[in-house]
Every structure is written in structure tokens, then in C-alpha cells.
Amino acid sequence: MLPTLPLGVECDGNVPRRLCVSHARVVSVSPGPLLRVEGQPVSLRCDVTDYEGPREQDFDWTMQQGEAGSINVISTFEPKYSDVSLSDRVASGDLSVVRLGDSVVELRIREVRSSDSATYLCSTPSTDSVFSGNYDAGVALKVIANTLKVAPEAPEPVVPEGGDITLSCNVTRHFTDPTYLSVTWSLRRPGIPLVDILTVGPDGDVVIGSASAQRYADGGLRLAIRRDGAFGLVVAGVTQADAGMYVCTGREWIHEEGGQWKNIVGKTVEMGAVAVTPTARSLSVVAKSNTTLNMDDTLTLTCLISAGNLASLALEVTWLVDGRTAVSLGRDGVVSNGSPSVGLERTGPGEFRLVVRGVRGSDKGIYSCRVRAWVGGGGRWYQAAEKTSNPVQVLVTQIKPNFAVTLTPSSTPQVTGDPTELACHVTNITHFLAGGRLGVAWEYTPLPGPPGDRLTTTQTTLPIGSLDAHGNLKSGTLYHDRLESGAIVLTRVEPDTFKLRFLRTQDVDMGAYACSVTAWTPSRQGGMEEAAEFLTPPLTVRWEPKRPSLTAVAQRVREAVAGGATFEMSCTISHVHLQDPGYSVLVQTQDSVDSATRTVLSLSPDSVLQHGGATDPNRRDSLVLTKTGPAEFRFRLAGVQQGDRGFYWCDITAWTKQPGQAWTKAVSAKSNKVQINFQETGPSFAVAILVLIEFSPLPPSDDLSYEVRWYLTRLRGGNKGTLLASVDRFGLVKKEARNASSDVSLERTDTHTYALNIHATQDSDSGEYHCQATPWYLSASTGAWTHGAELTSTRVFLTVRFPMWDSLKLPLLYGSVASVSVGLFSLLLGFICAHCCCRNTTHTPRSRNKLMDLEMD
């Protein structure tokens, strides 16, 4: 038996009962009870689910206060549904119902009143086919009076940079219901929206604004809650960014069902505007005062600092002497650059004292106090201002050392290149302190030039070099290289004697010289300081310069009389008024006296060999230029060719050099010219059947070989020839392919004679014959072959005559013999055939008719 269906369950007769679907309308409202503050907006939500009928549902709102009957508030279906007591509020929009969906509405009260405290019931008319579920739901609303008060205390309107701002705000309410309070501090700046700094929530939690998180972590924000319940916030180490209007916001909260906090009322009050005074505006630094001391006295200087926020500033104090740091005190209280005789201490608020014990002459100068003010803390320090005090002059009375300085020549040059030595003597030294030292500086003034020469008439003093108190060398700009190389030497030979030495004096060294001696005394920093300086009168060094001269002579060592030979030339040099010169050599050539000059080889003073641009790269190994003596050079050209004929000479340049310096050109000269002149004639030959070629006048040489080619031209005077055969410089013979029955062969009969043999000469061998020869030269130094100009012989015409009888007698003889032989053979053959093949051996009886037999016979 099937169970009975519950209320609200429908079943189609065609569907089994176990497949029937249950429908039950559900109406729900906002969870309650609700607690709200008078004058605040209130929204009550109502929705219906699991219903039948049209999609859009209607809703009716009623309210019930105590034992009184219900009062119609508003409906989505009936326009005149509202009670008369509420009609004005509905008409004004203070009470309204807003449809949020087909099945969701919201009852809204713009400004809730205390009289609105009631239980609100939301009901829906039935559109279901079967009445099931709930059709209404209610929620209790309690409205309390707005007793929230926010009473801030105005902060200081002007705060110095780096100071603190205290923000106090008292938030209260009448405690009639379980509500909670929160307070928020914010800052409003011109053109910038309100920014929250810090919030104390209803549960006591602290919420930091995103822009203040790091500052709170560094301790720049602190909460200070007073005993009277007022909330206090301290903003420490303020900057210009902290200036603006501060605002306090108090809020009242309730803890609703589900653990959610609900803000039911809030109030914002401006606390007051705060301006931040820059530290640089109020910072003042004063130094006291000018003073004059004697040696070994104690110097005391005071730096007075004042500022509007001095107590909140971290100060960094530095005493400067002539702009240089003497001693400093950091904001952390650590002294830098101090010593037992120099100290810096803080003697009071904004008062710092410099103490220098046992003053020296180096302690004189202009003193000033530089102050850097730092603002912040907890890792947020930044420099807010920097100021320097008025200058204070400190004088130290001292007795300077006294002495005399004289300059004398120890060695003077007679000619260019001689050494020069000058001595600077110090005498009559008085008032020289213990531990003092002497230093020297040398200077040079060029001699005046001729009138009108602006380059030499201007008297400019040039520093050569100096030795300080520790003996360190400092070179002048123009003399740096010569001093580094040792060409000029500065020495201290005795405690009171200094010397300047030129190893090789140049013409530019003529002029006036002076030495300046400086007395140095120990300084407070551990170094040396200048106490006195004396300069000698100038000493002139000059001599009569003699111009150098150079002579070069070229001589032929080996003469080239033919191509392939070796040419050798020597160049001898002599000079006057030159000291240990170096030479550079250019071997130059020209085809004739009026032709252009070409450079074959060059050799630098450092013996660096270079080939000229006119040198054939393939023949560079045949060229040699060497230095065979102190003033002699030798040039060798191996395997001369016709293109090498011409004039050769040496272009010599003499160079001088100071130690460590580059070469300086002194003088140049050219030698006499040596000529290479030889003649090479072309090959000549005679031809019969044997063709000979001879080269002359070429002497025998193992360094010379030939490449020979023979040509045949069919027509007399023709330009094109047919190559018959050739032999290269190594003796390898090559014959071209021939169609004629004749043949050719090549042979070398002696050093310069080559033979062409034509075997079985035919009439096709007639024509002009000539040969071409290319000389090849072997380099004696490298073993490389280079070829010379190609030589062509004169042409000779070869005629091959045809003898008629000699050419016909053998054919006629051979033909007659053949004819007779054939005739005899034919006769013999006929006889044999007739005798053997045609004979009748059968016997015929003789006829009785004799006449017939006779006729037959």
C-alpha cells in the first residue's frame, strides 16, 4: 500500500506516485533583530522561493508595535495599501519599496525614527495551485537615539621639522545597548584626497593606512590612550609631507548574527591644520672668533647652533680649514680625523668646541663650522638642512728659517751634445726647526729671439722638475720624457747641495736657469709643510752652435754585365759636428736622369728594413740592404733584369737621440749615382733541316735559364704562328700534336744554343720559322725564380722542293715489274688450263668418208 501524499505534493495521474515533486513556498527576510540609530538609513530585504504561478511576485509590508494591531506600510501591488499615518512618508519617499528582482524586494527607510521600532512582516499573496509552505516572515527593528560624539583637541598649528604632532580625539556615546566605538585619524592635503593614517577598530585592533605602514613599523606613529578614554596618536619626526588638515572620525558598531561587524553611525570632525617649519629656515650656525696664536699654543674655537627644533635634530658638525676637513663629529657622536692634539666635543645643547693643542704654522688659515641637520629616526633619517658658519681667521706667529742660495755651473757645453751640470748650494741656514728638510725646484727661461719673433721674445719660465722634502721627483710637462729616460737628472748630492745634469745638451737647452730651494717643517698631519722659499738669480747657459754636415759616397762593388747577374753597391758616410748619430738609408733609382725617382729599399735608424712601393713583390727576396760598418751600407740586387737598368744612389739622413727619447733629424745628404747598363740581344738562328738558335752576348751562369718556344707561320709575313715545340727552364720538352708525316725534336747543344730538328721533311713543312725565349733568373739568397723580358728572333723562310724524277722512278719501276709479272702469269695460267682441262680422251672411229674427215680435221 502506497503512503499518503503530504500537503502541497501534487501528482499527475499518468506519472507513478514515487516520481511526484513536492512544492513549498519559502518567504525570508533579513536576519534580526536589528539595531539601528535614529536618522540613519535602513533597508529590510524580503525574497520568496519555491513558488508556483507567475515569475514576478507581489509583496506586502506591515509593522506591529506591541499589542497594537498591525499597520500596513507599503505594497508592490496596491498603491493605496499604506496606512494613513504613513501615507505622507510614503509620498515623500521616506518609505519606499524597491524591487531587486522578480522575487526580491527591499523596504527602505531614508531616515529611520525612534517610532519606527517594530516588527516588520513581509507577506506574499498565494499564486500556488496548492497552499503549502510559509507566505510571510518578520524581523524586529529597534531604533535608538544618536548619542555619538566626537570631540577632538586641536593640535599645535605650527610644528618644526623633525618635531612631534599629538592628535587627541575623544569618541563617546550613551551606553544603552551593546554597541562599540572606533576612531580613525586622517590627513587632508590640498589637491589630495583624504588619506587614513591609523584606525583603532571596534574590537581594539589597529589598522594602519597603506602609506603609513613603514612609518608605524619604524616607530614614527605611536598610540597614546588617556585615562579619560580619549584616543591619542603621536606623529614623530614630522616632515613637510605631514603638513595639512587632520581629521578625526568616530564610528559606532554592533556585532550582528554571523559574527559580522555593522557600522550603524559615524561622525567626522576636523581637528585642525598643521604647518611644518623647515629646519633650514630656523637653523643658525655661528663660529667664534678670530684669534692670533704663537707656536705651541692651544687653539679653541666654538660653534654655536640654534634651531626651532634643536632637540629633535641629529647634528653632524665638521670644522673646515681653508675648505678642507679638519675634524668632524657625526650624528652618532663618533669623532672622525681626530688625534691626541686635535679634538671636537659637545659642551652643551647646540654648542661644539674645537681644540687644537700645540699649534703649528700649518694650523693657520680660515676656519669655518659646517653643520648638517638630520631629521627622522628608526631608519628614516634624512638630511633636512646644511649650513656653514661665518669664517674665522686664525693666525700663528712663527720665525721662518733663513738661508742663502747660489747657483754655479759645474760643467758647461762647448758644442751641441756635450753634457751640462749646474749646482745649487744652500748656505747660512738659521732658525731651521728640528726635523726640517730642504727641497729644490729647477726652472728654465728660453733666450730671447730676434726682434719681431713673437715666439721667442716672450719670456716664459718653464718648470723642469722638483724634489720635495721626501726626495720625490715631480717632472715638468715639457721635460717629463727626458727626466723619465735619464737624459736629465736631478740629484741631491749633499744635504745642502742639489745638482741638475744634462747628459747631452741640445740647442733648445740654451737659456737661463734658476733653482728655488724650499724649507719644509713637520706638519700636524704627519707630513711636511712649507716654511720658507728662496730663488737664485738666473744663470745663462749658451754656446756657439755649429751646423752638422754629412757626405755620402756610392761605389760599385759588383757590376751587372748581363741579365741574371748580381749588382752590388756600397755607400760610405762621413759627418762633421755630430755625436754618435744614427742613420737611415733610402736606396733610390731612376731610369734616366729626367725620369721619376723611385724608392727601392729603406733602412731606419733602428735597422728596420722596408721595401719601396716600386718593388715587385715577387722579387723582394732578391733585394738586400745591410749595414756593414758604423758608417757603411751595402745594397745588393740579385738576378738583374732589363727593367732594372738605370741609376742607383743612397739618400742618407743622420739622426740624433737622447736616452729614452725618439730620434731627431739632424741632416740629410745624397750620394753620387751608380748606373746599371747592359745589353741583351735577341736570339739568332740558321735553318736548313736543322734549326739552331744562339743567344749572345750572355756569359755562362748557373743562375740563368731559358724557356724556348718554336713557331711555324705558313704564309710569309703572317702574324699568327703554330706552336711546334717548347722546352721549359728545367729542360722538359713538349711537342704539339701533328698531322704531317714529318716529326720534330728539340735539343740543347751548349749553354745558349738550342736546336730544332725536322725529320722526314714534307712540303707541308714549308713556311716561316721563329723562336721566342724567356730568360729566368735564380735568386742566390732565396732560390726563387723570376722571369725577364721575352725575346723574339728574326724569321726565316723554309722551302721544301719537290724532285719529279726521284719521285716518279720508283713508281714506274714498280708498275712495269708488276705489269710484266701479271702478263707472264696470265700466259702460264692459260697454257695450263688448255693442256689439262680441254683435252678429249674418248676414241672416235674414223669415218669412211675421207673428205668429211679432212674437213673435220
Side-chain angles (χ1 to χ4, degrees), residues 35 107 115 158 373 391 398 450 526 533 557 611 617 642 766 843:
L35 181 64
L107 174 63
S115 60
V158 179
Q398 59 178 338
E533 181 180 3
V557 179
H611 291 270
Q642 287 187 356
S766 299
H843 175 70

Side-chain angles (χ1 to χ4, degrees), residues 463-487:
I464 300 175
S466 63
L467 296 174
D468 62 11
H470 301 286
N472 299 320
L473 173 64
K474 182 178 180 181
S475 305
T477 304
L478 298 179
Y479 291 88
H480 178 268
D481 294 339
R482 298 176 69 182
L483 285 168
E484 290 292 326
S485 63

Side-chain angles (χ1 to χ4, degrees), residues 42-294:
V42 175
S43 297
L44 303 178
R45 182 187 178 96
C46 180
D47 64 88
V48 59
T49 58
D50 296 337
Y51 60 89
E52 294 181 346
R55 176 177 296 177
E56 183 177 282
Q57 296 288 299
D58 288 316
F59 297 85
D60 298 330
W61 283 94
T62 60
M63 58 182 294
Q64 186 173 1
Q65 295 176 330
E67 299 298 331
S70 61
I71 300 173
N72 295 336
V73 179
I74 196 169
S75 173
T76 61
F77 180 71
E78 298 182 22
K80 297 181 179 181
Y81 180 79
S82 302
D83 188 84
V84 177
S85 61
L86 302 176
S87 59
D88 293 340
R89 297 179 65 185
V90 172
S92 65
D94 187 40
L95 288 175
S96 62
V97 61
V98 179
R99 185 180 292 278
L100 304 179
D102 294 336
S103 59
V104 182
V105 297
E106 192 174 72
L107 174 63
R108 295 181 179 177
I109 305 174
R110 185 185 301 166
E111 293 182 1
V112 68
R113 305 174 182 178
S114 59
S115 60
D116 292 334
S117 296
T119 299
Y120 288 82
L121 186 66
C122 175
S123 61
T124 59
S126 175
T127 60
D128 301 326
S129 59
V130 176
F131 188 83
S132 64
N134 65 309
Y135 287 80
D136 56 34
V139 58
L141 172 64
K142 182 180 180 180
V143 180
I144 62 176
N146 187 358
T147 60
L148 180 65
K149 293 183 179 181
V150 179
E153 294 182 7
E156 291 290 335
V158 179
V159 179
E161 187 176 12
D164 296 344
I165 300 176
T166 301
L167 304 173
S168 296
C169 186
N170 192 9
V171 180
T172 61
R173 53 79 171 97
H174 295 309
F175 187 79
T176 57
D177 292 277
T179 60
Y180 304 85
L181 299 177
S182 70
V183 61
T184 300
W185 289 274
S186 307
L187 174 62
R188 181 187 296 117
R189 301 183 65 189
I192 301 176
L194 192 67
V195 178
D196 290 344
I197 302 174
L198 183 143
T199 299
V200 180
D203 54 357
D205 292 342
V206 176
V207 180
I208 311 299
S210 59
S212 305
Q214 186 60 44
R215 189 171 190 175
Y216 180 79
D218 294 337
L221 296 175
R222 303 190 306 271
L223 278 174
I225 301 178
R226 302 189 312 198
R227 293 183 178 180
D228 58 358
F231 295 93
L233 177 65
V234 178
V235 182
V238 297
T239 64
Q240 295 297 321
D242 296 321
M245 176 63 72
Y246 284 87
V247 176
C248 177
T249 301
R251 295 182 179 90
E252 191 172 359
W253 303 74
I254 62 172
H255 205 208
E256 294 187 338
E257 293 184 8
Q260 300 296 325
W261 286 101
K262 176 67 177 179
N263 178 24
I264 59 176
V265 68
K267 190 174 184 181
T268 300
V269 179
E270 290 184 350
M271 305 181 68
V274 176
V276 178
T277 304
T279 302
R281 186 181 303 173
S282 61
L283 182 63
S284 173
V285 182
V286 178
K288 296 182 178 180
S289 62
N290 295 341
T291 183
T292 300
L293 303 172
N294 294 321

Side-chain angles (χ1 to χ4, degrees), residues 386-453:
E386 177 180 333
K387 280 193 176 181
T388 302
S389 71
N390 54 296
V392 175
Q393 185 175 20
V394 175
L395 300 177
V396 179
T397 303
Q398 59 178 338
I399 301 176
K400 294 185 177 181
N402 189 26
F403 49 86
V405 183
T406 58
L407 178 61
T408 59
S410 301
S411 175
T412 56
Q414 301 302 317
V415 296
T416 302
D418 285 352
T420 301
E421 186 175 270
L422 305 179
C424 187
H425 303 279
V426 181
T427 58
N428 302 327
I429 301 177
T430 59
H431 305 299
F432 201 61
L433 298 178
R437 297 179 183 178
L438 297 176
V440 67
W442 292 89
E443 58 187 36
Y444 160 76
T445 304
L447 293 175
D453 189 353

Side-chain angles (χ1 to χ4, degrees), residues 479-538:
Y479 291 88
H480 178 268
D481 294 339
R482 298 176 69 182
L483 285 168
E484 290 292 326
S485 63
I488 299 178
V489 181
L490 273 64
T491 58
R492 178 176 181 171
V493 295
E494 294 180 8
D496 56 356
T497 303
F498 301 90
K499 285 190 176 182
L500 169 66
R501 180 176 178 81
F502 291 81
L503 297 184
R504 293 181 181 176
T505 311
Q506 303 177 9
D507 290 341
V508 295
D509 295 328
M510 285 191 290
Y513 291 83
C515 70
S516 173
V517 177
T518 304
W520 298 84
T521 58
S523 67
R524 184 172 306 283
Q525 290 75 21
M528 305 296 290
E529 61 183 5
E530 182 180 338
E533 181 180 3
F534 292 91
L535 178 66
T536 66

